[in-house]
Amino acid sequence: MYTRDYVLRLIERFGRALIALRDRILRREVTTEELRAQLREVAEGAGLDLDLARSLDPRMLLMWLAPTGEIDPPRFWLLAELLSLEGAHARASATGDLGRADFGRAHALFSRLPADWQPSAEVATAGERALELRQLLDEEV
């Protein structure tokens, strides 16, 4: 099992890369293949299965990630951020459900974290990300 410290170090290491990747998604400068390869690399490095996570509804995702109810904030945050990036890419590419399903999964994870939790000062807090995703989900209704 991957330790909390390892995942925190991963987030710090990939934090800037994830921010840069998000910017590239918003500018539509990344291909679907490139995005998926980068996201899977990060997920696998943290012992997460992004394909499985994307196949689960939010409730099942929470059960899979925290079967005992004990939340591991770094893992929750990282998976939520990866799902959010998948959703942002779908929305920017105007594909599928425009990222709604991935945004919903990410929102469910961010919402379970303390609102002020963040892996580093460079990234938004869980509460800020949950609010951003809630607004995106509400816009699409």
Side-chain angles (χ1 to χ4, degrees), residues 18-92:
L18 292 176
I19 291 168
L21 184 56
R22 184 171 190 230
D23 291 343
R24 289 182 61 211
I25 289 168
L26 296 176
R27 291 190 311 265
R28 295 185 176 121
E29 297 176 353
V30 62
T31 66
T32 299
E33 296 78 25
E34 183 182 5
L35 171 79
R36 294 240 163 93
Q38 289 181 13
L39 295 181
R40 277 185 185 70
E41 179 183 335
V42 172
E44 288 172 5
L48 297 168
D49 185 334
L50 189 55
D51 290 328
L52 177 60
R54 293 188 76 219
S55 73
L56 301 171
D57 65 40
R59 191 176 59 147
M60 292 301 295
L61 177 61
L62 290 169
M63 289 174 51
W64 171 67
L65 200 55
T68 65
E70 187 175 326
I71 294 171
D72 181 0
R75 289 172 56 86
F76 264 58
W77 187 92
L78 181 59
L79 185 56
E81 191 62 27
L82 294 172
L83 290 166
S84 177
L85 290 172
E86 284 273 10
H89 179 68
R91 188 168 198 216

